[in-house]
Amino acid sequence: MNTQADDDSTLVWDRWLAEFEDCVCSRDTDRGRQLFGENVYAFGTRADVAVGLDNLEQDQWTPIWSNTQGFHFLFDSARYIVADDKSTVCVMVSWESHAVENGKKGYLRSGRCTLVLREDRNAPFGYVAMHSHFSKLPKAEF
């Protein structure tokens, strides 16, 4: 494993992130499903644990995406841990969005996520997520 990714690989993973961003913003779970493995194991901001793609969509994506506007990754924050053969990559990146309240843009949500991507030549960007962990930033308590 190493933490240095070449530019070509980084572009592939950034395109994967951009596609997921677009799926969230357009609330397109069908396209989002193409980016994840059937046996995904996920932690979310709403779903404590989602085992399997159907549960991830039902327990996390559908309720959160329908109440989200302007979801985007902060690409400058992205970091990668990469298997030497590039078959697996761990992506760590911050994100922001706005909650939707009563049909109107609400408060800013900031968070971070960790994704474990596995190479899959049949996937749209050559990788599927086998694990995801989305969380909001902790609030400082003083």
Side-chain angles (χ1 to χ4, degrees):
M1 295 280 187
N2 77 62
T3 57
Q4 301 299 316
D6 60 71
D7 289 343
D8 289 340
S9 297
T10 300
L11 286 174
V12 169
W13 303 319
D14 284 352
R15 285 198 326 258
W16 190 101
L17 291 171
E19 176 70 4
F20 187 70
E21 241 180 23
D22 193 54
C23 292
V24 175
C25 289
S26 63
R27 299 179 178 136
D28 189 342
T29 57
D30 289 336
R31 253 179 50 224
R33 290 177 66 94
Q34 294 176 27
L35 300 173
F36 283 73
E38 281 294 324
N39 297 318
V40 64
Y41 193 90
F43 305 129
T45 56
R46 182 177 188 277
D48 187 29
V49 177
V51 179
L53 191 50
D54 291 338
N55 291 325
L56 178 58
E57 179 180 355
Q58 175 183 314
D59 299 339
Q60 178 68 33
W61 292 356
T62 299
I64 295 298
W65 293 10
S66 63
N67 291 300
T68 298
Q69 285 183 346
F71 175 84
H72 62 277
F73 289 110
L74 304 174
F75 284 91
D76 289 344
S77 73
R79 300 293 179 266
Y80 308 95
I81 301 172
V82 185
D84 291 335
D85 64 359
K86 297 182 186 171
S87 63
T88 307
V89 59
C90 178
V91 181
M92 298 148 289
V93 63
S94 299
W95 57 267
E96 291 180 337
S97 70
H98 281 89
V100 174
E101 296 175 333
N102 301 319
K104 296 180 181 175
K105 189 176 188 178
Y107 62 92
L108 176 68
R109 290 189 289 216
S110 298
R112 64 273 173 99
C113 79
T114 303
L115 297 154
V116 177
L117 305 180
R118 176 183 48 81
E119 190 173 35
D120 181 336
R121 294 175 200 259
N122 296 318
F125 294 92
Y127 287 86
V128 293
M130 297 308 297
H131 171 69
S132 68
H133 185 169
F134 280 77
S135 61
K136 292 187 271 184
L137 290 178
K139 295 182 181 187
E141 295 183 25
F142 298 98

